[in-house]
Amino acid sequence: MTAFLVVLVIILFGITVLQLGKILNMSKSAEKLGEGSEVASNKDNNVNGWLMLGFAIFTYLLLIVCFYKWWDVLLPQAASEHGSTIDTLMFVSMSLIFVVGFFTLWLLSYFAFKYRGNSTNRALFFADNDKLEFIWTIIPVIVLAGLIIYGLFTWTDIMNVDTEDDPMVVELYAYQFDWRARYSGKDNTLGDANVRLIEGVNQLGVDASDPNAQDDVVVNELHLPVGRKILFKIRSQDVLHSAYMPHFRAQMNCVPGMITQFAFTPTITTEEMRMDDEVVAKVRKINTLRREKSKDLAAKGEEALEPYEFDYLLLCNKICGSNHYNMQMKIVVESQEDYDAWLATQPNIATALKK
Ligand SMILES: [Cu+2]
């Protein structure tokens, strides 16, 4: 790969030098323009005109292929209360970009083709047109302002945490290359933590002398009760990470030295999501691919792949190092009873640190 890149750079550098030489030559013989081979002939103009048209058609075909082949890799329905507002915002923005892009591509290419150079035609000298400029300035201004205001309202709506909702406080702790979650216990208050206190089993540097810390529970699998608002307090041990929970349409940077936050209410349990038609189709597709891959592996005498089962995930969405791709934690959304039962089996910090 490296050798290929080196060769590519050398070739590109060679082309650059050649092109520079050409430009230099052209500037020298400027007075001879009109008779030299540097002036585009009708044939050159035709070729370039058709190429412009061809480019537009190629792009449209590519678009159709992409939509047809990969439409089903999009995320399934949002599993959080605010999720649908993000989806609507995304849909409105993308549709607008799509429509504008679709028509401007055609206009650009078609006009470049229609008015391609022709030695018998003279270009019309057209200085300016105030009315036209006003129209193509004011329309984007109104549309963009509308989009931005709409986006801002959606953003504040999602980011303003109403404490009257009594959210459950959970810490997400990122480090190279894994996650830990810390429940705040009965008092719903996380104990203080400091990177200097990290030692042995105290992976998160929790201050064991803080009364609030005693009932905190540190886990490596995140369980959430459905329908309860969760307020995530997010920390990072080392570098910038990003807590990304795509199914809940949630993402927030994890910044060393500060606590960031994001709140959402999960609305669909893991079990319910596994029965969602779209998710069922996705899982089936993934397992078909895995079965085919397993055949190849078996032929090589290697172990076959396990069938995939849908789970919510917390992923890292910042390229934070060599194992970034594998930095994930399973999220289980379940009923309040199941959640309570699970939490009861987890040791709190006071017990865990005594060991
Ligand atoms: Cu990371």
Side-chain angles (χ1 to χ4, degrees):
M1 190 65 193
T2 320
F4 169 73
L5 283 175
V6 170
V7 172
L8 194 72
V9 167
I10 294 173
I11 292 174
L12 286 175
F13 184 75
I15 294 175
T16 315
V17 171
L18 268 176
Q19 292 291 347
L20 275 176
K22 261 193 190 169
I23 293 170
L24 228 61
N25 257 338
M26 278 166 79
S27 62
K28 267 187 209 148
S29 57
E31 66 271 15
K32 289 190 213 146
L33 275 183
E35 49 201 64
S37 61
E38 306 295 350
V39 178
S41 65
N42 272 351
K43 191 181 156 221
D44 295 336
N45 288 326
N46 275 331
V47 168
N48 282 293
W50 281 104
L51 277 176
M52 284 301 283
L53 205 62
F55 174 73
I57 292 166
F58 168 75
T59 313
Y60 289 134
L61 287 178
L62 197 65
L63 191 78
I64 294 168
V65 171
C66 290
F67 268 111
Y68 177 74
K69 278 198 80 148
W70 292 297
W71 184 252
D72 61 348
V73 301
L74 295 176
L75 284 167
Q77 61 161 318
S80 63
E81 223 159 62
H82 74 277
S84 59
T85 55
I86 295 245
D87 286 351
T88 314
L89 176 68
M90 193 75 177
F91 180 75
V92 170
S93 309
M94 283 299 162
S95 313
L96 209 72
I97 293 169
F98 181 85
V99 172
V100 173
F102 191 89
F103 287 108
T104 41
L105 175 66
W106 178 250
L107 291 175
L108 278 170
S109 326
Y110 179 68
F111 280 103
F113 166 75
K114 185 163 192 258
Y115 299 107
R116 62 191 184 276
N118 183 333
S119 55
T120 54
N121 282 359
R122 292 201 78 185
L124 170 73
F125 179 73
F126 188 85
D128 56 51
N129 183 324
D130 289 346
K131 198 170 152 194
L132 206 59
E133 283 180 28
F134 178 76
I135 292 173
W136 76 45
T137 308
I138 201 74
I139 291 178
V141 165
I142 293 171
V143 173
L144 280 179
L147 264 189
I148 291 167
I149 291 168
Y150 173 33
L152 274 177
F153 272 107
T154 311
W155 167 257
T156 32
D157 217 33
I158 293 165
M159 295 313 291
N160 278 347
V161 184
D162 194 350
T163 42
E164 279 175 22
D165 292 348
D166 185 29
M168 181 170 105
V169 178
V170 177
E171 178 178 71
L172 292 180
Y173 187 74
Y175 62 94
Q176 285 172 320
F177 297 94
D178 208 350
W179 297 94
R180 289 289 177 267
R182 177 159 61 118
Y183 291 88
S184 48
K186 285 209 175 62
D187 58 1
N188 206 25
T189 311
L190 288 162
D192 286 339
N194 191 310
V195 74
R196 290 186 186 85
L197 299 172
I198 295 174
E199 201 186 2
V201 283
N202 192 1
Q203 238 179 337
L204 274 56
V206 178
D207 182 355
S209 64
D210 183 353
N212 290 331
Q214 303 311 312
D215 62 348
D216 289 5
V217 176
V218 178
V219 294
N220 55 13
E221 187 177 282
L222 186 62
H223 285 237
L224 303 174
V226 68
R228 176 84 197 267
K229 187 155 204 158
I230 320 283
L231 174 57
F232 292 101
K233 297 279 180 184
I234 304 164
R235 285 197 299 143
S236 164
Q237 186 181 85
D238 32 47
V239 297
L240 273 180
H241 299 274
S242 188
Y244 180 42
M245 294 170 267
H247 304 101
F248 306 100
R249 312 294 190 263
Q251 180 171 341
M252 182 49 68
N253 281 344
C254 321
V255 188
M258 69 185 282
I259 298 171
T260 51
Q261 64 172 28
F262 197 106
F264 70 77
T265 312
T267 51
I268 305 174
T269 64
T270 301
E271 285 304 324
E272 285 165 352
M273 201 59 163
R274 281 179 183 163
M275 284 176 329
D276 178 274
D277 290 344
E278 218 177 319
V279 173
V280 169
K282 273 176 199 297
V283 171
R284 197 180 301 133
K285 189 179 169 186
I286 293 170
N287 279 329
T288 312
L289 292 171
R290 286 174 84 93
R291 267 197 302 279
E292 279 163 26
K293 177 88 182 161
S294 290
K295 275 183 211 153
D296 293 348
L297 288 173
K300 280 191 234 154
E302 285 172 46
E303 213 175 308
L305 297 168
E306 303 244 308
Y308 162 79
E309 193 171 34
F310 173 83
D311 266 311
Y312 293 123
L313 283 175
L314 163 67
L315 301 164
C316 175
N317 211 6
K318 283 266 183 306
I319 301 180
C320 57
S322 57
N323 270 325
H324 152 76
Y325 73 96
N326 207 17
M327 187 170 160
Q328 52 176 269
M329 181 160 74
K330 185 170 140 182
I331 304 176
V332 180
V333 179
E334 56 200 357
S335 66
Q336 184 73 46
E337 300 82 62
D338 288 350
Y339 164 77
D340 290 338
W342 169 81
L343 193 64
T345 63
Q346 304 297 319
N348 61 27
I349 288 218
T351 332
L353 291 188
K354 252 183 233 148
K355 277 183 195 162

